[in-house]
Amino acid sequence: MKNPTKHLKRLTAVGAVALAAFSLSPAAASALPSGNPAGDGEPGTTIVGGTRAEQGEFPFMVRLSMGCGGALLEKDIVLTAAHCVDGSGSDTSITATGGVVDLEDPAAVTAKSTEVLQAPGYDGQGKDWALIKLDKALDQPTLPIAKDDAYNEGDFTIAGWGADQEGGDQQRYLLKAEVPFVDDATCKSAYPDLVEGEELCAGKLDTGGVDSCQGDSGGPMFRKDDAGEWVQVGIVSWGDGCARPGKPGVYTEVSTFAADIEDAAAQLGG
């Protein structure tokens, strides 16, 4: 188990001190404020060093009411992080908001969760993925997942409504940024407990300054495939603080779990 005071899962939490307390608890999602996806002053912790996304630029993005992000794997199934949910089973407590970059936009569409499927065997280290079944389809494009490691290099795009600085507040507008791939050997030197083969690292090692942060957990890391279409290669998971030099962001390596994710989606009726 990672030290929760050092390696922070990137959930939204109430204030900087609470970030450590919530960092690794699988039940953290249910302990967090759940009713304020619009970000109207509720403390939280988007993308550091990012710029505002354009409306419709990443239409597969959704905001989850427990303080995480996600992407539409199917129109009625959200792919997010395992640490954002509290186990598997029936769950009607989560609201997914999509269709907008401005969470206060009246054009936002919402759906409620009906069931959650957390990665089998998840224990806080590796395997950080989960699916949320929605009570209705959202009329938005979906984000395909990488089936192999062909796209696990290069520059990636990250996006979210989390903190724009370490210890900062949840954002009203979706922010985006680009982060470069960091190889496993280099990342392992920064994080000895990195789970190679299950986790993927990205960030500006020398300078820092660009990263996902608290409130971005569960959101996608993605890039263009050979056909010029977006494909998801990672899921925002954890890191030491946000955007620190020498401390890249750590993401679930989606291609490792692609078959499992597709099987789980089929179980949920996707």
Side-chain angles (χ1 to χ4, degrees):
M1 184 68 71
K2 299 179 179 74
N3 179 352
T5 64
K6 182 179 181 184
H7 301 308
L8 298 183
K9 296 291 190 183
R10 292 181 168 182
L11 284 158
T12 299
V14 185
V17 173
L19 290 177
F22 284 134
S23 61
L24 287 179
S25 168
S30 62
L32 296 172
S34 60
N36 191 28
D40 53 357
E42 191 75 54
T45 28
T46 217
I47 298 295
V48 180
T51 58
R52 192 178 295 184
E54 298 293 330
Q55 177 64 32
E57 189 172 5
F58 309 121
F60 43 76
M61 293 289 302
V62 296
R63 181 67 175 168
L64 300 173
S65 56
M66 83 288 278
C68 284
L72 289 177
L73 177 69
E74 304 287 349
K75 290 183 180 293
D76 61 349
I77 296 179
V78 176
L79 177 60
T80 188
H83 73 266
C84 288
V85 301
D86 187 13
S88 298
S90 297
D91 188 331
T92 60
S93 68
I94 303 166
T95 299
T97 301
V100 295
V101 294
D102 176 1
L103 292 175
E104 295 184 12
D105 189 329
V109 293
T110 62
K112 298 290 290 187
S113 61
T114 61
E115 187 175 355
V116 171
L117 198 159
Q118 189 182 59
Y122 174 71
D123 64 359
Q125 188 167 7
K127 300 181 179 63
D128 196 7
W129 64 269
L131 298 178
I132 299 172
K133 176 74 170 179
L134 303 178
D135 64 356
K136 63 181 178 182
L138 298 183
D139 187 18
Q140 300 171 228
T142 57
L143 180 60
I145 58 174
K147 305 297 179 59
D148 56 47
D149 61 5
Y151 300 113
N152 287 359
E153 294 183 339
D155 291 331
F156 307 117
T157 298
I158 50 176
W161 288 273
D164 60 354
Q165 60 182 336
E166 189 172 322
D169 291 339
Q170 173 179 308
Q171 301 295 293
R172 169 179 171 178
Y173 297 96
L174 181 67
L175 297 188
K176 63 178 181 177
E178 285 196 358
V179 286
F181 168 73
V182 176
D183 65 84
D184 282 355
T186 302
C187 195
K188 191 86 171 175
S189 66
Y191 301 124
D193 45 0
L194 180 77
V195 183
E196 295 180 71
E198 295 189 7
E199 296 178 323
L200 184 66
C201 300
K204 297 188 174 182
L205 281 177
D206 293 340
T207 62
V210 182
D211 198 4
S212 52
C213 200
Q214 272 61 53
D216 291 319
S217 274
M221 181 170 73
F222 46 100
R223 54 160 288 177
K224 293 291 183 69
D225 63 14
D226 292 339
E229 301 296 328
W230 292 120
V231 61
Q232 183 170 355
V233 299
I235 300 169
V236 178
S237 186
W238 61 277
D240 279 3
C242 303
R244 298 178 184 179
K247 297 293 183 180
V250 182
Y251 301 79
T252 304
E253 190 168 320
V254 167
S255 60
T256 297
F257 302 104
D260 293 335
I261 290 169
E262 290 182 334
D263 288 346
Q267 290 180 43
L268 292 176

